[in-house]
Amino acid sequence: MKTLAVVLAVLAMVGGGTVLLVNHYGGWTTLTGKAWAITYEVSAQPAETLVEVTYAESATRYRKQTPQIVTTEKPLPWSFEVVINAGERAQVSATPKADQVLTCRILLDGVKELASATGKPGATVSCDSVTGT
């Protein structure tokens, strides 16, 4: 009987600790959200040039948060895989250094095209799509 009481006390402490931790991080719904595997692509004519790329990515797939925006310079062609939480905006844009014509695409699971665009010579190109819920 004493062993049963000890086991029940330990289970209550572990269960209570789990509930406290989950509530601290926003509750069950924010920790169990869906997320999408997104691939961003940017290419140019002429190819192999350096451009400024801005894209969105979720910091974690387990917490419902607005995606963070990242800006960096990358050589083209450029491709990058990120996670975007369900219901959030996937977006990528690129700015050429000269009169290149840039093209962007957003792919779901590396296959299904969610968005694509081709810019004018020397102009920024942007693609965006809201992920399903």
Side-chain angles (χ1 to χ4, degrees):
M1 189 67 154
K2 191 175 185 180
T3 304
L4 179 61
V6 169
V7 168
L8 289 176
V10 168
L11 287 175
M13 287 179 13
V14 169
T18 301
V19 169
L20 287 174
L21 279 172
V22 168
N23 286 335
H24 173 74
Y25 287 107
W28 293 108
T29 57
T30 60
L31 292 176
T32 58
K34 290 191 292 183
W36 300 98
I38 298 293
T39 302
Y40 296 127
E41 293 180 348
V42 177
S43 58
Q45 292 299 328
E48 298 181 21
T49 184
L50 191 65
V51 298
E52 182 177 280
V53 178
T54 301
Y55 61 92
E57 71 176 324
S58 295
T60 175
R61 68 180 304 157
Y62 301 108
R63 295 194 66 193
K64 182 129 177 84
Q65 298 173 322
T66 302
Q68 60 190 5
I69 303 300
V70 178
T71 300
T72 184
E73 282 196 353
K74 295 293 180 183
L76 295 183
W78 176 79
S79 178
F80 192 66
E81 294 180 9
V82 299
V83 171
I84 297 291
N85 290 326
E88 297 291 342
R89 183 172 304 281
Q91 58 188 4
V92 62
S93 64
T95 304
K97 298 284 184 183
D99 284 340
Q100 295 101 354
V101 174
L102 299 182
T103 300
C104 63
R105 293 192 330 152
I106 299 176
L107 304 173
L108 174 64
D109 292 331
V111 179
K112 182 180 177 185
E113 187 174 88
L114 298 178
S116 67
T118 299
K120 297 188 183 300
T124 297
V125 66
S126 297
C127 293
D128 66 73
S129 178
V130 175
T131 59
T133 54

